[in-house]
Amino acid sequence: QECEIAPRGRTRAVRGAAMAADVGNVCRCICGDDAQRHPTVLVPAGTGCTACTTRLCETTFEHCGAALRHGGALSVHCIDRSA
């Protein structure tokens, strides 16, 4: 899989070669107490929201991993755009 940083640096797209036409689902990473720092990741729509995990957020966004290591909360919210 390949990751790309969007111009604003807040959204990353995760895709494989077979997902070229896949619009993706939106996975929102809720990391710690800072309401302004909830980045999003696009995950393949073909798997529903199963790819939207706390592990994905922890490894994709440094501040999410830091929030988890320092006693903060880490959770995800997925929007299934194919529903």
Side-chain angles (χ1 to χ4, degrees):
Q1 292 186 353
E2 178 183 340
C3 294
E4 295 178 358
I5 299 175
R8 298 189 74 149
R10 289 182 44 89
T11 302
R12 294 186 183 189
V14 178
R15 68 177 193 270
M19 294 292 180
D22 188 341
V23 295
N25 290 328
V26 179
C27 178
R28 184 172 186 213
C29 302
I30 303 164
C31 313
D33 296 330
D34 187 356
Q36 301 299 315
R37 299 216 48 199
H38 298 316
T40 58
V41 178
L42 293 177
V43 295
T47 59
C49 283
T50 59
C52 182
T53 64
T54 55
R55 179 76 179 139
L56 174 66
C57 294
E58 178 185 1
T59 58
T60 305
F61 300 105
E62 184 179 319
H63 75 280
C64 290
L68 190 61
R69 286 188 303 275
H70 297 292
L74 174 58
S75 61
V76 296
H77 175 255
C78 188
I79 300 169
D80 186 344
R81 298 194 311 175
S82 65

